[in-house]
């Protein structure tokens, strides 16, 4: 998880700005704008909270996926280690997607709020006596989370959870299933398990496919969660979709598609490679400890 965040966060910031920001134009112009206004540090805004929590998040997602597969193998075939069918992988992906929303929504919310607080209060036509005009809204992830809780309550912390659910359920199906298929396809005949290069390629392809599939709903989720830094523009998911469509047409739901797909490859490649190598290392340690 940590490997994934480090590899993908700079492009994630660009993606969020394209989806929820104004005046960034295309991907290249967005990258230049962020660099000119905020230097390299701008690409890493909001990274600390995902970095601190991604271990738990990734453990839950991968653990739920693997455990559901083993449970289905036991129930359907009488063997938890049985090779999962396509239906088993699909159901396990759906369960992982549903469970991920409970942990992932607050993390995504804080990340996006920190990524989007580049606009000074004066530009948003908001006067707040407690903050000097032009200064950031949030001082850091903890202050951001505390502020959201104070102003919006628990419901505010889970803002965008329905959009995230609609993003993650199909997204994880397009994540785990292509990974398993590509791993199997790339692995040489006679090998018990895929080599690191096969894992890296399969993970990267799975990430690119997954993000291509869930980008439209990712746009809606980003806009809902960025909403509230200065103004509350959207009443809910349907209102967000309708306003976005009326103002920018269908193309708005493809915002950040290229960045998402490009970012998805190194981010997911690092995720799956780290996951598989960590598992192998832990199994080897257990074997050496308990021969």
């Amino acid at each position: 998880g940590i490997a994934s965040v480090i590899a993908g966060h700079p492009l994630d910031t660009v993606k969020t700005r394209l989806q929820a920001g104004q005046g960034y134009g295309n991907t290249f112009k967005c990258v230049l704008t962020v660099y000119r206004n905020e230097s390299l540090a701008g690409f890493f805004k909001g990274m600390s909270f995902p970095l601190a929590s991604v271990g738990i998040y990734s453990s839950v997602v991968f653990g739920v996926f693997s455990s559901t597969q083993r449970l289905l193998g036991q129930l359907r075939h009488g063997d938890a280690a049985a090779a999962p069918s396509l239906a088993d992988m699909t159901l396990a992906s759906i369960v992982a997607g549903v469970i991920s929303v409970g942990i992932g929504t607050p993390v995504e919310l804080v990340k996006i709020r920190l990524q989007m607080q580049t606009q000074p209060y004066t530009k948003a036509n908001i006067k707040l006596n407690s903050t000097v005009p032009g200064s950031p809204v949030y001082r850091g992830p903890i202050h951001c989370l505390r502020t959201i809780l104070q102003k919006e309550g628990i419901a505010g912390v889970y803002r965008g959870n329905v959009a995230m659910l609609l993003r993650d359920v199909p997204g994880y199906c397009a994540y785990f299933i292509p990974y398993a298929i590509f791993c199997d396809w790339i692995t040489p005949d006679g090998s018990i398990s895929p080599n690191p290069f096969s894992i890296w390629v399969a993970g990267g392809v799975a990430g690119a496919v997954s993000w291509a599939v869930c980008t439209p709903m990712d746009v809606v989720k980003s806009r809902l969660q960025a909403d509230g830094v200065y103004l509350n523009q959207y009443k809910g998911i349907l209102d967000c979709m309708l306003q976005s469509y009326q103002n920018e047409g269908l193309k708005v739901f493809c915002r950040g598609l290229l960045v998402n797909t490009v970012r998805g490859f190194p981010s997911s490649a690092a995720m799956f490679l780290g996951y598989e190598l960590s598992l192998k290392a832990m199994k080897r340690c257990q074997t050496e400890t308990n021969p």
Side-chain angles (χ1 to χ4, degrees):
I2 290 170
S4 172
V5 171
I6 293 171
H9 194 84
L11 282 177
D12 182 74
T13 299
V14 174
K15 180 265 297 184
T16 302
R17 299 285 178 87
L18 284 171
Q19 290 178 340
Q22 299 293 330
Y24 288 105
N26 57 35
T27 303
F28 183 68
K29 184 181 176 184
C30 182
V31 171
L32 284 179
T33 303
V34 173
Y35 179 72
R36 284 170 181 167
N37 295 340
E38 304 164 61
S39 75
L40 279 175
F43 295 100
F44 293 92
K45 279 193 172 179
M47 189 176 81
S48 59
F49 197 47
L51 201 61
S53 58
V54 74
I56 299 171
Y57 177 78
S58 299
S59 297
V60 170
V61 170
F62 277 78
V64 167
F65 175 75
S66 301
S67 299
T68 304
Q69 276 193 331
R70 285 196 295 271
L71 177 62
L72 290 171
Q74 185 66 47
L75 293 174
R76 290 160 61 90
H77 312 291
D79 180 10
S85 65
L86 181 60
D88 292 344
M89 285 192 287
T90 302
L91 184 55
S93 300
I94 291 171
V95 173
V98 171
I99 296 298
S100 73
V101 173
I103 300 172
T105 303
V107 176
E108 287 275 306
L109 178 69
V110 170
K111 173 181 71 71
I112 285 176
R113 290 285 177 94
L114 291 173
Q115 286 173 328
M116 292 303 298
Q117 63 166 355
T118 57
Q119 197 178 359
Y121 286 133
T122 49
K123 287 185 181 179
N125 297 319
I126 294 177
K127 295 179 181 178
L128 294 179
N129 296 327
S130 60
T131 310
V132 178
S135 65
V137 185
Y138 311 113
R139 294 191 294 271
I142 302 302
H143 179 252
C144 177
L145 189 61
R146 192 168 65 241
T147 303
I148 295 169
L149 272 171
Q150 288 172 348
K151 291 184 176 180
E152 305 171 52
I154 294 294
V157 173
Y158 281 90
R159 184 177 180 83
N161 60 344
V162 176
M164 191 165 177
L165 185 68
L166 294 174
R167 183 197 74 170
D168 282 3
V169 168
Y172 277 121
C173 288
Y175 189 61
F176 287 115
I177 295 172
Y179 172 72
I181 293 171
F182 275 97
C183 249
D184 185 56
W185 182 56
I186 295 174
T187 302
D189 292 335
S191 296
I192 299 173
S193 60
N195 58 47
F197 178 73
S198 298
I199 294 168
W200 186 83
V201 172
V205 170
V209 170
S210 174
W211 277 110
V213 167
C214 64
T215 289
M217 196 49 63
D218 188 49
V219 172
V220 178
K221 182 200 73 71
S222 293
R223 291 190 167 205
L224 282 170
Q225 292 186 324
D227 190 40
V229 177
Y230 303 102
L231 300 167
N232 284 316
Q233 183 179 352
Y234 307 116
K235 297 175 184 176
I237 183 171
L238 290 176
D239 183 50
C240 178
M241 293 172 72
L242 188 61
Q243 283 195 48
S244 298
Y245 172 72
Q246 288 175 339
N247 294 333
E248 300 167 68
L250 274 176
K251 64 180 182 180
V252 69
F253 299 108
C254 293
R255 273 199 177 189
L257 176 62
L258 177 62
V259 180
N260 261 344
T261 306
V262 171
R263 176 182 67 94
F265 192 98
S267 178
S268 296
M271 173 79 84
F272 276 105
L273 187 60
Y275 172 70
E276 297 285 4
L277 293 181
S278 297
L279 274 183
K280 285 182 181 179
M282 284 186 281
K283 286 177 182 177
R284 190 161 53 245
C285 286
Q286 286 177 345
T287 304
E288 291 172 357
T289 306
N290 303 305

